Amino acid sequence: MKATQTKPEWRRLRLLIVMVLVRLTVQGWFGDTVNLFSVPTSPVTVEASASGILTATINVGPTLIVHAFIGLMILALSVTVLAFSLRSKPRSIKVPSILGLVMVVSAIIGGILFALSGFTNNGVSAQMGGSFIGAYAFYFIEVYYAK
């Protein structure tokens, strides 16, 4: 049997998708840890501004800081994956990439709304978790078709 050569772009795309999946895995672990052990038990008043959210994040502790930082890394990687995916011809590569990025953005919006609620709104916490699962699924679909 002869191994087929793959284009360097496909290898880079697969590597980027795997990097997203690894960070999503770590992000899920940190998210559960924050939710179970770091979030304040009583409601916190959070100013509805970027500095208010940043202050609340810092006050909760290092686990939430790492969780937020990984989320921003995932966003940057997702945009990069989308850029590589849009250059490919097959729709089976483009669609999961777009939907994966939508799920990542949805999770970030959920995180911001969760912080703004004083870490009490379970609905937006569930939005983060559901969006995480969606992003995970879409990136696995994309890595499957990017062979």
Side-chain angles (χ1 to χ4, degrees), residues 48-125:
S49 67
S51 65
I53 293 170
L54 183 61
T55 300
T57 301
I58 291 169
N59 289 339
V60 168
T63 310
L64 181 56
I65 294 168
V66 171
H67 182 65
F69 180 73
I70 293 170
L72 294 175
M73 286 185 353
I74 292 169
L75 176 64
L77 279 170
S78 294
V79 169
T80 307
V81 167
L82 178 62
F84 274 79
S85 298
L86 290 177
R87 292 189 328 189
S88 68
K89 296 248 188 271
R91 201 178 317 176
S92 61
I93 299 296
K94 293 176 186 177
V95 172
S97 180
I98 293 167
L99 294 174
L101 178 59
V102 167
M103 292 291 109
V104 168
V105 170
S106 174
I108 289 171
I109 291 169
I112 291 168
L113 293 175
F114 188 61
L116 286 173
S117 75
F119 306 101
T120 59
N121 187 331
N122 292 332
V124 292
S125 181

